[in-house]
Amino acid sequence: MYVAVKGGETAIAHSLDYIADKRRGDRSLAELSLEQIDQQLGLAVDRVMTEGSCYDRSLAALAIKQARGDLIEAIFLLRAYRTTLPRFGESLPLDTASMVAERRISSTFKDVPGGQVLGPTYDYTHRLLDFSLAAEGERPAAATAPADTGRSLPRVGDILEREGMLEPPPQDGASEDLTRQPLTLPASRPVRLQNLARGDEGFLLALGYSTQRGYGNNHPFVGEIRYGHVPVSFVPEELGFAIEIAEIDLTECDMVNQFAGSHDVPPQFTRGYGLAFGHSERKAMSMALVDRALRAEELSEAAASPAQDEEFVLAHSDNVEASGFVQHLKLPHYVDFQSELVVVRTLRAEVEARNRQAAMDQAAE
Amino acid sequence: MTEINAKDGAYNYAYLDEQTKRMIRRAILKAVAVPGYQVPFGGREMPLPYGWGTGGIQVTAAIIGQDDTLKVIDQGADDTTNAVSIRRFFARVADVATTTRTKEATIIQTRHRVPETPLGEGQILVFQVPIPEPLRMLEPRETETRTLHALSEYGVMQVSLYESIARHGRIAKTYNYPVMVNGRYIMSPSPIPKFDNPKLDRSPALQLYGAGREKRIYAVPPHTPVKSLDFDDHPFEIETWEQCCALCGSRESFLDEMIVDDDGQRLFVCSDTDYCERRRDTAEAAE
Amino acid sequence: MSDLSQLAPGLADPPHDAQRIFRAILDAVSHPGRIVSLPAAPAGPGRLSPAAAAYLLTLADRDTPVCLAEEFDHPAVRDFLRFHAGSPIVEDRGEAAFGVLAANTPQPLEGFNLGTDAYPDRSATLLVEVPALSDGLVQQWRGPGIDVRATVAIAGLPEDFWTEWAANHGLFPCGVDVVFTAGTELCALPRSIAVEV
């Protein structure tokens, strides 16, 4: 007798073996090491750490390897691991002014204290496939000036702020953790930023882009983008004073936007803020644009565009949620479909009967 | 594939840490106290994808213990791939006995069906819920729907059902058919076929609903009135089939339709595999 | 914190004890009026019953402030809750997720968080320690979880309690939820339940 979808258990076991086999690929080729992924696919590692909200290069590299380079799958793997980790406490807020920057640019001033530092960027590469990379052979080390660790880099925003031209950053120190508490709306700006930091780069990129095309334009300028190393400090309860526990790489974007001012408030520039682990400028910039767009209501601007719609943005930014729900359509839905078949057949039969009756009535006339 | 096991100490019993379990347990108790109301909870990222039962899994993980016997079904069947996967997860992380028999289970986690065998006192039915908000497709904004529930302002749902009648001559909604719980909250029964709705009404079992991605838990306590929405002149009715189950001959159960050859020949069998097997066993024993 | 050697012990086997206790509590809350015995309940500190101690160890933690009525506001109880559960102890009823009351605590429900129409789940849960869960005034309870009606006779509660309860029930879906505790047993009274003499 025919019986549907039996043997699910065996099928799953075989599928797991098969995917592991596919992941390894041709055995005559050397297996990728986590160090290779970390060093040579570093920007992928950065993205997985950012959207996985877990700063651990080797775990992110492992996730990328396990996911065969599918970064959203890797983000999911890292998040699912992260959620099982105990919380020891909260670090002190990072001070990005103390960043040892490898790159730092401002598009609002020709020069800024500390200088424009181009650093490593794809910006001015010509997008020509470099066939020399396809060949074996070592590359000589790049000549770089030693990073100036002795001085802090004042943020361009802080300089504008002193003049009263730019609003100060929010002082709200309340810590909420989106990974421990459900999102409630309206959300505070820290919660929104948390959501955006974890949000899908592609989604934020598209939304940020839409604001530039007139869907919630807020006249952005890159006040500053900086990328470099920042120390992380923590106050253990038993010590009572801060100790440095790590140094992490960050990309920070301070977007400066126009604000018309109002009757009482003189015109002033406003901020959109973006922060990402590692070197993730596209993400940090997109985040800053969307952050600013989401402040529309707070700044008494018309909020009619998608990027300004808090609930729409925050509810759909997470690629682990989105990926799961889109792909769950692969699961069997045949019971619900059966219900639909039953009712559609009934409705069709009723309509056909009505039409037949109408045709007979017409013929009789 | 990472193999995780309750006994190897790498993960806590039933996967979730104790603090998370306490948070979910508190949410469950509030959900039971306010039947049909969706309690927001700090849903965690689970090692299974969102949309694949993470809400149900978190609820089950928060209630399950070594004394339990777990049954997991998807589309009414114990051996559909997702049911197998979830059952395997709990057998591993919670060291728990599993069963396919409805009567033997203390906890039944389900996607899209309520078992045909009537549930009894002391059993807990855990539903996997994709979209917990019954008004969501009528009003996508949580900020709006929360107010509608607070005010018990359900006109939008009545209008939607009425429009269906105006267009089709009947309420054409077939699954995820909205219910009124204890006369106060309109609730999504999850995407079960409306065939199963009457089983929710005054059931002696406890019903817990978990939506992981949407981070909501809600509940229907035992013996609680659950009314499928309808109108006096268009009373609620369930699906019926002209056929009976090709395997057990049942005329009372929900039937799945299968296409068995290229000519589109159909075969109808019970969606509830345990119910069907029990009936065949009984019939065989009688012979 | 006072002398730790005086600290009453917590759950012997936290994951499994907490699970069993929770299931007993869930059974009670989903069957209002049913008297449920808690397995593995630890001896409570001070005047706290084993049932109340077990309830709090299972459900309270640092996210849930606890407000103790005078009878229970004792260093042994405070230390017990702080050490085993990590719960902040608060004076203000309005801040508490859990309240621990005696049967004769005046204005028992007054001032606790009732939740809001939009978020009724944010209300407090009150543990009311009573001399016994039976032998009191016989009442009929009706509502979700009860098959028609439950006959209950919680002992030791003044008439005022039931007046306040009627008002609390009238606020549904807002309102506090109550759990009566005595010895190693408890009996739940969620806000959804109407009480008639």
Side-chain angles (χ1 to χ4, degrees):
Chain A
M1 177 57 84
Y2 179 91
V3 181
V5 218
K6 284 282 178 196
E9 196 128 11
T10 324
I12 288 180
H14 287 162
S15 168
L16 296 180
D17 289 343
Y18 199 2
I19 190 74
D21 185 78
K22 282 278 192 189
R23 179 188 58 67
R24 178 59 184 89
D26 184 347
R27 305 298 201 277
S28 68
L29 295 171
E31 187 169 357
L32 265 179
S33 73
L34 300 190
E35 292 76 13
Q36 285 172 328
I37 295 170
D38 174 5
Q39 290 296 309
Q40 297 173 37
L41 297 174
L43 297 182
V45 169
D46 290 345
R47 178 172 177 196
V48 170
M49 293 195 304
T50 299
E51 293 172 35
S53 9
C54 180
Y55 196 98
D56 188 315
R57 300 198 70 84
S58 60
L59 285 179
L62 172 60
I64 291 168
K65 177 174 177 173
Q66 188 177 329
R68 299 171 67 202
D70 177 342
L71 297 189
I72 294 181
E73 180 70 18
I75 289 160
F76 180 16
L77 285 168
L78 189 58
R79 289 227 199 137
Y81 180 75
R82 177 193 186 275
T83 197
T84 67
L85 299 174
R87 261 82 174 154
F88 295 114
E90 287 169 19
S91 69
L92 296 175
L94 299 175
D95 177 16
T96 50
S98 69
M99 176 184 281
V100 178
E102 283 192 23
R103 170 165 161 78
R104 188 275 196 116
I105 53 162
S106 167
S107 65
T108 48
F109 294 99
K110 184 168 183 182
D111 199 8
V112 284
Q116 305 264 18
V117 181
L118 196 55
T121 175
Y122 280 97
D123 289 351
Y124 301 101
T125 60
H126 294 148
R127 269 62 171 199
L128 304 170
L129 279 175
D130 179 356
F131 292 100
S132 74
L133 290 174
E136 308 265 332
E138 279 308 321
R139 187 161 286 261
T144 51
D148 185 357
T149 56
R151 57 179 291 187
S152 65
L153 270 184
R155 278 181 297 243
V156 174
D158 295 347
I159 300 167
L160 277 172
E161 188 191 322
R162 255 178 270 145
E163 210 185 322
M165 290 292 284
L166 181 64
E167 61 169 357
Q171 297 303 311
D172 184 1
S175 71
E176 291 169 82
D177 185 346
L178 261 184
T179 65
R180 312 289 284 180
Q181 289 145 352
L183 176 70
T184 45
L185 298 168
S188 67
R189 191 165 171 214
V191 165
R192 289 200 308 244
L193 287 168
Q194 221 176 99
N195 175 290
L196 299 179
R198 286 160 59 82
D200 182 74
E201 180 173 318
F203 179 72
L204 297 184
L205 176 67
L207 282 176
Y209 177 46
S210 73
T211 67
Q212 291 179 285
R213 290 195 65 260
Y215 288 84
N217 191 11
N218 45 47
H219 310 283
F221 297 94
V222 171
E224 182 175 341
I225 290 171
R226 55 173 63 194
Y227 155 65
H229 329 294
V230 179
V232 181
S233 298
F234 176 69
V235 181
E237 209 170 321
E238 59 274 25
L239 289 183
F241 55 86
I243 54 167
E244 200 176 305
I245 51 169
E247 188 178 71
I248 64 174
D249 288 355
L250 289 176
T251 305
E252 183 184 52
C253 173
D254 224 347
M255 205 67 90
V256 175
N257 306 266
Q258 207 178 61
F259 172 50
S262 65
H263 187 65
D264 312 315
V265 185
Q268 191 184 32
F269 292 100
T270 54
R271 289 173 196 258
Y273 187 73
L275 189 72
F277 287 152
H279 197 178
S280 312
E281 289 178 21
R282 190 188 300 114
K283 171 64 187 274
M285 293 176 75
S286 305
M287 177 177 167
L289 288 174
V290 177
D291 169 48
R292 177 59 184 75
L294 290 176
R295 298 179 60 205
E297 205 163 320
E298 171 200 342
L299 298 169
S300 308
E301 297 166 346
S305 298
Q308 296 168 317
D309 184 333
E310 173 180 85
E311 181 161 353
F312 178 79
V313 173
L314 301 188
H316 301 112
S317 63
D318 192 299
N319 56 26
V320 176
E321 291 178 0
S323 168
F325 200 49
V326 166
Q327 296 203 63
H328 106 286
L329 293 172
K330 290 184 281 191
L331 289 175
H333 283 78
Y334 56 77
V335 164
D336 292 344
F337 190 68
Q338 180 64 48
S339 290
E340 293 281 74
L341 281 176
V342 170
V343 79
V344 171
R345 280 191 186 123
T346 312
L347 293 173
R348 285 176 64 86
E350 284 172 2
V351 172
E352 277 160 20
R354 267 203 305 277
N355 290 348
R356 255 198 317 276
Q357 188 61 47
M360 277 160 58
D361 292 349
Q362 208 169 14
E365 274 170 18
Chain B
M1 171 78 191
T2 325
E3 293 292 311
I4 55 175
N5 195 306
K7 291 168 188 159
D8 69 13
Y11 289 91
N12 193 31
Y13 178 77
Y15 182 77
L16 298 175
D17 59 277
E18 291 303 300
Q19 198 187 339
T20 300
K21 285 187 206 166
R22 273 193 299 273
M23 175 271 297
I24 297 174
R25 287 168 180 166
R26 290 193 295 261
I28 291 172
L29 294 178
K30 287 298 175 192
V32 174
V34 190
Y37 164 74
Q38 305 161 50
V39 179
F41 79 111
R44 299 294 192 254
E45 255 131 359
M46 299 300 287
L48 283 82
Y50 283 120
W52 298 54
T54 56
I57 291 169
Q58 287 181 81
V59 168
T60 298
I63 65 174
I64 203 166
Q66 289 165 322
D67 310 331
D68 278 309
T69 304
L70 175 71
K71 171 180 165 85
V72 183
I73 50 172
D74 187 336
Q75 314 296 298
D78 297 273
D79 57 359
T80 40
T81 43
N82 201 41
V84 168
S85 168
I86 293 170
R87 188 166 56 242
R88 220 167 48 108
F89 178 73
F90 281 111
R92 194 182 290 150
V93 301
D95 190 21
V96 73
T98 60
T99 184
T100 57
R101 299 204 173 195
T102 301
K103 277 192 184 310
E104 287 172 5
T106 53
I107 300 173
I108 301 171
Q109 180 168 328
T110 179
R111 178 170 170 266
H112 294 193
R113 275 311 311 274
V114 176
E116 307 290 1
T117 310
L119 298 180
E121 161 83 39
Q123 288 184 306
I124 302 178
L125 188 57
V126 178
F127 292 80
Q128 300 173 199
V129 183
I131 302 276
E133 177 50 68
L135 307 172
R136 184 62 71 231
M137 296 309 146
L138 308 172
E139 169 50 65
R141 284 179 194 279
E142 154 79 9
T143 37
E144 294 293 325
T145 52
R146 185 160 288 280
T147 307
L148 297 179
H149 284 295
L151 301 174
S152 219
E153 177 54 65
Y154 292 132
V156 60
M157 180 63 89
Q158 298 294 333
V159 168
S160 142
L161 296 178
Y162 189 75
E163 280 172 356
S164 180
I165 292 171
R167 173 174 302 202
H168 302 296
R170 66 181 67 222
I171 298 173
K173 195 152 179 60
T174 57
Y175 60 92
N176 208 349
Y177 190 105
V179 294
M180 174 64 84
V181 178
N182 201 36
R184 174 57 180 84
Y185 283 101
I186 286 189
M187 183 188 93
S188 157
S190 87
I192 56 172
K194 63 179 180 175
F195 181 90
D196 287 339
N197 276 21
K199 299 174 190 164
L200 308 180
D201 184 34
R202 296 170 208 273
S203 167
L206 170 63
Q207 304 163 38
L208 300 177
Y209 296 78
R213 193 176 37 76
E214 301 277 344
K215 300 179 175 55
R216 298 288 184 273
I217 288 171
Y218 52 101
V220 178
H223 313 295
T224 302
V226 176
K227 187 182 183 321
S228 302
L229 300 181
D230 62 0
F231 297 97
D232 290 342
D233 49 347
H234 287 277
F236 173 79
E237 50 189 25
I238 61 172
E239 301 88 336
T240 52
W241 287 261
E242 287 165 17
Q243 301 83 353
C244 64
C245 172
L247 298 177
C248 76
S250 173
R251 291 190 174 280
E252 280 82 49
S253 81
F254 188 94
L255 300 181
D256 291 332
E257 171 177 341
M258 291 181 299
I259 304 172
V260 289
D261 61 25
D262 292 352
D263 298 331
Q265 275 280 99
R266 302 297 208 269
L267 192 64
F268 289 82
V269 296
C270 290
S271 132
D272 183 334
T273 48
D274 173 65
Y275 170 84
C276 193
E277 273 168 40
R278 297 284 82 77
R279 279 179 53 91
R280 278 178 282 151
D281 289 352
T282 313
E284 231 167 79
E287 275 169 20
Chain C
M1 183 169 286
S2 50
D3 187 1
L4 273 182
S5 64
Q6 301 294 311
L7 192 69
L11 300 176
D13 178 6
H16 298 109
D17 285 355
Q19 187 273 335
R20 289 192 182 100
I21 293 167
F22 172 70
R23 281 291 283 281
I25 295 168
L26 180 61
D27 185 32
V29 174
S30 45
H31 299 91
R34 175 179 289 183
I35 296 171
V36 170
S37 179
L38 297 189
R47 294 172 65 179
L48 207 59
S49 69
Y55 187 101
L56 291 170
L57 289 188
T58 301
L59 290 163
D61 58 27
R62 58 192 160 103
D63 295 332
T64 58
V66 178
C67 180
L68 299 168
E70 216 179 326
E71 288 83 345
F72 307 101
D73 195 358
H74 184 271
V77 179
R78 285 175 163 253
D79 288 349
F80 177 83
L81 289 176
R82 270 199 293 249
F83 183 81
H84 292 301
S87 295
I89 309 292
V90 293
E91 300 291 328
D92 179 3
R93 285 182 165 190
E95 290 173 24
F98 294 108
V100 184
L101 309 176
N104 58 1
T105 299
Q107 297 181 307
L109 313 185
E110 191 69 34
F112 283 103
N113 190 348
L114 301 169
T116 62
D117 286 335
Y119 292 97
D121 55 295
R122 294 180 180 172
S123 67
T125 301
L126 309 183
L127 303 182
V128 181
E129 296 263 40
V130 293
L133 298 173
S134 47
D135 307 331
L137 176 70
V138 175
Q139 297 169 320
Q140 306 297 326
W141 292 9
R142 290 170 198 273
I146 297 173
D147 191 6
V148 188
R149 75 180 75 82
T151 304
V152 191
I154 309 287
L157 292 164
E159 206 172 301
D160 285 358
F161 181 92
W162 296 111
T163 314
E164 284 196 24
W165 179 261
N168 182 68
H169 170 66
L171 297 172
F172 189 88
C174 293
V176 297
D177 301 307
V178 165
V179 175
F180 298 108
T181 49
T184 59
E185 294 177 334
L186 58 77
C187 173
L189 177 63
R191 69 194 87 171
S192 55
I193 300 303
V195 173
E196 302 155 18
V197 179

